[in-house]
Amino acid sequence: ALTVRLTPEEQEALAQLAERRGMSQNEILRAAFRDYAESHARAELLSRVMDEELPPFAEALERLGQ
């Protein structure tokens, strides 16, 4: 179990969103977390590729850009 502390404004926004979507507040928070985690995983992968895989091609990429 996990306790999430929200401001009253955040709590109200969450309640309204859950009602509009016909979902529980828990489902909304879980979906938001999944989206956040997936988005950051993609960003981290892209950053790693840029840092680790592209440097050997830097000179060629620079020439192509000219």
Side-chain angles (χ1 to χ4, degrees):
L2 173 72
T3 299
V4 177
R5 299 193 195 297
L6 302 175
T7 65
E9 294 82 13
E10 292 167 336
Q11 176 63 41
E12 181 60 29
L14 177 59
Q16 289 178 11
L17 180 61
E19 186 172 330
R20 281 195 311 273
R21 299 229 173 146
M23 299 169 69
S24 71
Q25 292 180 26
N26 188 57
E27 289 172 314
I28 296 288
L29 291 175
R30 290 178 61 218
F33 172 76
R34 283 192 305 273
D35 290 347
Y36 178 88
E38 289 171 10
S39 172
H40 281 76
R42 285 190 298 272
E44 289 172 10
L45 175 61
L46 179 59
S47 180
R48 186 182 61 75
V49 168
M50 296 293 284
D51 291 344
E52 297 174 10
E53 304 295 331
L54 288 183
F57 303 103
E59 185 179 335
L61 290 170
E62 188 174 322
R63 284 192 218 157
L64 287 172
Q66 295 177 354

